[in-house]
Amino acid sequence: MKEVLMLICFNTIFYILFIMFSFLGIPLFFLIGAFQSIFISHRNAMKKFRRAISWYGIVIIKALPYPFVKVIYKDLDKTKTAGPFIFACNHRSASDPFLMACLPYEFVQVVNIWPLKLPVLGFMARWAGYLSVREMPFESFSKKAADFLNDGVSIVAFPEGTRSADGSLGQFHGSIFRVALQTGYPVVPVCITGNEKIPARGTLLLRPGTIKIHKLSPITCDKFKGFTPYKLKNMVRQLIADEIEVMEGKGNA
Amino acid sequence: MTILCAFVSSWQKIYFLQAVIGYKMTEQEIVKLTNQVFEDSFEIEKELLKEEMNIFQDLGLDSLDIVDLVVALQEKFGVKIRNDERIKGIRTLGDIYKFIIALKAEGASTAIYRQT
């Protein structure tokens, strides 16, 4: 009973704050961005706009659900390789795209069709240049992704394509790895655990928990030179799977 | 003939024999060559190449990999399959074997029809 009451209380507070913050924060960010774009270059305006989206994500995922949900981000990269990067993450929950705000880089995300159809958020994502991989042929996708990378903007993708129903790691789609092979930019595996029920697939109910995000070392182009896209995607998938096992206490640290 | 055979791969030998003496590929040869495509193009381990394996869920191929697979199969077997509607129904490795066997049979019957 106590747990049910706590859940009702947590979800009510979160969604009220979420709606209020979205209705006030998004137009505010948008107006500030539009005003700044008069005085600065388009490139700088986009950089600030994407940074604003990240701040929005940080508030949604870290501030609003606190103390019921805690987010622990760890950068396990010791190489200090320079970006931009192609981030490949596992996908268990609708909160994953928001969690990407923890990555301290300017990025665009590769998204499915439906997030771009969301009111306000979809418009912002389109304006920020988010790539709808299913709405364009691979050649266009590849060219746009390469343009972003050459411009210093990282790409975040969830190569499973859809949220995992049972928490297991699905098979990977190869589009983003083909871009890596074509452009030579490093691929960075990112692992997320603990958010399977924040919220679970098919529901909006949030449950308390601790979300862990581990950013692994980049796989630079010299390590995947001559690979087929299939081999590269499976190599990254294996690295993510191994790290998830460690994070969930099933593997060796 | 021996010198020539030393410089060509096994499937090229099969084509050669096919053209010169009307040699037909056996089902086992088709299975072997199809598996070779998976090993060469995707570096999938031999042990995974079983008839019942789903090429998407078990072997992890995606739509772009299928394009590569079609090109590799076309080259290996000297057939045109890109616009064949039957590809859409392929799910398992066994489906691919059956498809290629059917294609080769159709090719042979077309050749006989042309000869007569």
Side-chain angles (χ1 to χ4, degrees):
Chain A
M1 188 65 189
K2 195 182 165 190
E3 197 185 324
V4 175
L5 277 173
M6 190 265 288
L7 269 182
I8 293 169
C9 178
F10 165 41
N11 279 272
T12 310
I13 293 169
F14 175 82
Y15 282 110
I16 288 171
L17 290 174
F18 175 73
I19 291 165
M20 278 171 59
F21 179 67
S22 297
F23 272 89
L24 293 171
I26 292 173
L28 186 70
F29 282 143
F30 188 76
L31 283 174
I32 293 169
F35 180 73
Q36 283 182 326
S37 66
I38 301 168
F39 306 101
I40 55 177
S41 68
H42 176 71
R43 177 71 191 87
N44 277 337
M46 291 314 289
K47 195 173 182 176
K48 284 180 186 291
F49 183 62
R50 290 185 192 117
R51 177 75 2 222
I53 290 179
S54 285
W55 276 109
Y56 171 78
I58 284 169
V59 172
I60 296 296
I61 207 68
K62 279 190 168 178
L64 301 190
Y66 188 84
F68 298 100
V69 175
K70 286 175 188 165
V71 180
I72 302 166
Y73 168 75
K74 266 191 195 172
D75 186 349
L76 303 179
D77 175 23
K78 304 276 186 287
T79 63
K80 306 295 167 210
T81 311
F85 302 105
I86 295 168
F87 294 102
C89 321
N90 63 311
H91 196 14
R92 288 181 174 180
S93 162
S95 55
D96 290 335
F98 293 97
L99 289 165
M100 292 301 102
C102 294
L103 298 171
Y105 300 94
E106 182 189 3
F107 61 81
V108 294
Q109 295 194 29
V110 178
V111 291
N112 220 322
I113 300 168
W114 69 266
L116 293 176
K117 288 186 176 164
L118 291 173
V120 191
L121 288 176
F123 171 73
M124 279 181 70
R126 253 183 220 283
W127 207 55
Y130 281 31
L131 298 164
S132 175
V133 68
R134 293 202 179 167
E135 283 182 307
M136 58 177 91
F138 174 71
E139 290 72 23
S140 312
F141 168 76
S142 170
K143 194 190 170 302
K144 281 192 177 181
D147 288 346
F148 275 124
L149 289 162
N150 292 334
D151 212 14
V153 182
S154 295
I155 308 277
V156 172
F158 300 95
E160 287 166 272
T162 186
R163 281 166 287 164
S164 164
D166 57 359
S168 63
L169 192 62
Q171 295 290 356
F172 277 13
H173 291 267
S175 312
I176 203 68
F177 303 101
R178 285 171 192 263
V179 172
L181 287 163
Q182 283 168 9
T183 60
Y185 283 100
V187 179
V188 181
V190 178
C191 313
I192 307 169
T193 61
N195 68 335
E196 302 79 24
K197 291 180 178 175
I198 312 174
R201 191 180 167 143
T203 170
L204 287 174
L205 185 74
L206 303 172
R207 290 182 182 275
T210 302
I211 302 171
K212 290 181 192 170
I213 307 165
H214 284 191
K215 174 180 160 279
L216 307 188
S217 294
I219 307 161
T220 47
C221 108
D222 55 302
K223 287 177 194 145
F224 57 75
K225 204 175 176 185
F227 275 31
T228 60
Y230 182 86
K231 190 176 177 182
L232 178 58
K233 78 176 177 183
N234 282 312
M235 184 178 97
V236 176
R237 185 176 178 273
Q238 194 55 53
L239 286 169
I240 292 176
D242 291 346
E243 184 64 21
I244 286 174
E245 281 209 347
V246 173
M247 291 164 82
E248 292 181 334
K250 295 173 196 162
N252 299 318
Chain B
M1 184 69 176
T2 317
I3 296 163
L4 178 71
C5 283
F7 287 101
V8 296
S9 64
S10 59
W11 60 274
Q12 281 168 325
K13 281 177 207 164
I14 289 168
Y15 286 155
F16 179 75
L17 290 168
Q18 227 174 342
V20 174
I21 57 167
Y23 169 82
K24 274 188 209 167
M25 255 187 223
T26 63
E27 290 189 7
Q28 282 85 355
E29 279 166 341
I30 289 174
V31 168
K32 195 180 163 191
L33 290 179
T34 307
N35 287 354
Q36 219 171 64
V37 167
F38 277 88
E39 285 174 56
D40 297 344
S41 306
F42 304 107
E43 297 179 43
I44 297 178
E45 291 149 34
K46 236 178 210 171
E47 297 73 50
L48 287 173
L49 298 173
K50 290 175 191 156
E51 204 173 335
E52 66 276 12
M53 284 297 212
N54 185 302
I55 56 170
F56 303 104
Q57 283 148 25
D58 300 324
L59 301 180
L61 268 66
D62 60 41
S63 54
L64 293 169
D65 293 326
I66 296 299
V67 177
D68 292 344
L69 175 68
V70 165
V71 172
L73 288 172
Q74 287 188 154
E75 280 177 14
K76 198 72 149 177
F77 292 100
V79 289
K80 280 189 180 174
I81 52 179
R82 204 181 178 104
N83 298 320
D84 200 309
E85 283 293 309
R86 285 173 291 181
I87 309 175
K88 289 175 188 167
I90 288 174
R91 291 288 174 274
T92 64
L93 202 51
D95 292 340
I96 299 180
Y97 300 151
K98 282 180 204 156
F99 175 58
I100 301 287
I101 289 164
L103 267 183
K104 293 304 268 184
E106 283 165 23
S109 59
T110 314
I112 292 162
Y113 176 74
R114 277 185 194 146
Q115 279 171 12
T116 54

